[in-house]
Amino acid sequence: MDFGFILSSALGELVSPTTAAYALAALGLAVHFGYSGLLNFGQAGFMAVGAYGFAISTLTFKAPFFIGLLIAVLCSVIFAFILGIPTLRLRADYLAIVTIAAAEIVRYVVTTNQLTSVTGSANGLAAFEGGFYAMNPFPEGSYLGLNNRDFFIRVVGWGLVLICCVLVWLLMRSPWGRVLKGIREDENAVRSLGKNVYSYKMQALVIGGVLGALAGMIFTLPRGAVQPSNYGTELTFFLWTCLLLGGMATVLGPVVGAMMFWVVLSLTQSVLYGLIESEVITWLTTVQAGQLRYILVGVALMLLMIFRPQGVFGNKKELAFT
């Protein structure tokens, strides 16, 4: 078993486009739950809306990249309003029910056979990334061991993560962000001060949803395809894992949590596969090992919640509202 290759592969996940997408989506969850107290269990739905909004506008309407990006963001805003208008005046658990159901509805709608010409049904959509890579300023060659396309998507993905982190940090330090934290702690007290709690919640839902839509685009561009099976409920729970690993009410927490999640996931898979191939483990198949790694990560998450529930960067005071 080549431990050097295993370790290098795991460390490569630190800056992969998928990790960047998870970091963006988990940052959106931090805006929703960590700072606002909104229980969103449908972030995968926002990612799917962003990815399909971009892909459909590019393939069906031949929109250039930035128009497709704008349409994806607009779709996520509309999706947030559809979710928030009937639920944000109610208890938080209603939003949780609506969002997890809405994410599944989105996934089932795009797999409908009647929409095959638009959404590709279960096969999804492909070959829509040409406009993005046409902007690649890096000539062909090797960049830190990566080809120019892989290097470009990493630069864009992590550049977007950095920009969004700075914007969220500034927002949460502003008077608007302080009101949002007050709503998380006690929305009745904030309402008694004359603040429109419903409006602030809607704004937070929209901002976190836009981050999810951008994450959906970064998630699908390296693959060159968007498939509904990638946006199941388990994706949202992986994002919650990233959020809890790093810390709920922090800016860097979701980013570090996403990195930790993918490094641990890659390490456990590679080690298990290596042990199976070297016949150290004979009672597992590679398929079973792929499932076992999620069990191991789940156990690690439970231990984290027992011994450090605030996450890596979190503060125990931030847990008071839960």
Side-chain angles (χ1 to χ4, degrees):
M1 190 164 54
D2 189 347
F3 286 102
F5 176 76
I6 290 174
L7 185 59
S8 64
S9 298
L11 292 178
E13 293 296 334
L14 284 173
V15 293
S16 73
T18 300
T19 304
Y22 271 56
L24 268 177
L27 183 62
L29 282 182
V31 174
H32 286 160
F33 183 69
Y35 289 109
S36 312
L38 301 176
L39 276 171
N40 173 20
F41 284 122
Q43 191 70 335
F46 282 102
M47 292 180 69
V49 166
Y52 272 97
F54 174 73
I56 292 172
S57 62
T58 302
L59 293 176
T60 304
F61 301 105
K62 310 301 180 183
F65 173 78
F66 288 106
I67 298 298
L69 172 63
L70 183 62
I71 291 174
V73 170
L74 181 60
C75 288
S76 70
V77 172
I78 295 172
F79 189 56
F81 275 106
I82 291 173
L83 297 181
I85 287 174
T87 61
L88 289 182
R89 296 187 189 277
L90 306 174
R91 294 201 317 265
D93 49 354
Y94 285 98
L95 180 64
I97 295 169
V98 168
T99 50
I100 196 170
E104 285 299 285
I105 290 171
V106 169
R107 191 165 65 89
Y108 283 116
V109 166
V110 297
T111 58
T112 304
N113 290 332
Q114 286 78 3
L115 297 176
T116 300
S117 60
V118 179
T119 64
S121 189
N123 294 324
L125 298 171
F128 52 81
E129 75 282 9
F132 172 75
Y133 286 111
M135 300 184 297
N136 187 354
F138 302 103
E140 290 189 11
S142 179
Y143 301 85
L144 302 177
L146 302 168
N147 63 44
N148 63 330
R149 287 168 63 98
D150 290 341
F151 185 72
F152 179 54
I153 184 61
R154 280 165 173 78
V155 170
V156 172
W158 286 104
L160 189 58
V161 170
L162 177 61
I163 292 170
C164 291
C165 282
V166 171
L167 289 176
V168 170
W169 182 75
L170 291 174
L171 280 173
M172 296 311 160
R173 287 172 58 88
S174 69
W176 181 85
R178 289 192 286 272
V179 172
L180 213 61
K181 294 175 187 176
I183 292 172
R184 178 195 66 192
E185 301 291 344
D186 188 345
E187 67 176 68
N188 290 325
V190 174
R191 191 177 287 110
S192 69
L193 297 174
K195 301 296 184 181
N196 189 333
V197 171
Y198 175 79
S199 176
Y200 277 90
K201 283 184 175 182
M202 183 64 76
Q203 292 168 36
L205 185 62
V206 168
I207 291 172
V210 168
L211 292 175
L214 294 175
M217 289 182 57
I218 297 299
F219 183 70
T220 196
L221 280 172
R223 296 168 172 79
V226 54
Q227 295 178 315
S229 59
N230 291 329
Y231 301 95
T233 307
E234 66 274 7
L235 175 57
T236 293
F237 293 130
F238 292 160
L239 297 174
W240 274 94
T241 300
C242 297
L243 179 66
L244 296 176
L245 280 172
M248 292 179 291
T250 63
V251 174
L252 287 180
V255 178
V256 175
M259 291 178 171
M260 292 172 58
F261 176 78
W262 277 104
V263 166
V264 171
L265 209 61
S266 176
L267 272 176
T268 53
Q269 175 176 287
S270 298
V271 169
L272 286 172
Y273 283 8
L275 292 174
I276 291 171
E277 290 173 2
S278 59
E279 297 184 351
V280 175
I281 294 179
T282 58
W283 44 273
L284 273 181
T285 66
T286 53
V287 174
Q288 292 169 330
Q291 300 302 316
L292 179 60
R293 64 174 180 154
Y294 291 115
I295 296 175
L296 295 175
V297 171
V299 171
L301 180 62
M302 287 190 289
L303 293 174
L304 179 72
M305 289 296 96
I306 293 171
F307 295 107
R308 191 172 176 79
Q310 70 270 30
V312 175
F313 288 101
N315 190 322
K316 284 186 177 181
K317 293 180 181 180
E318 299 287 358
L319 296 177
F321 74 98
T322 60

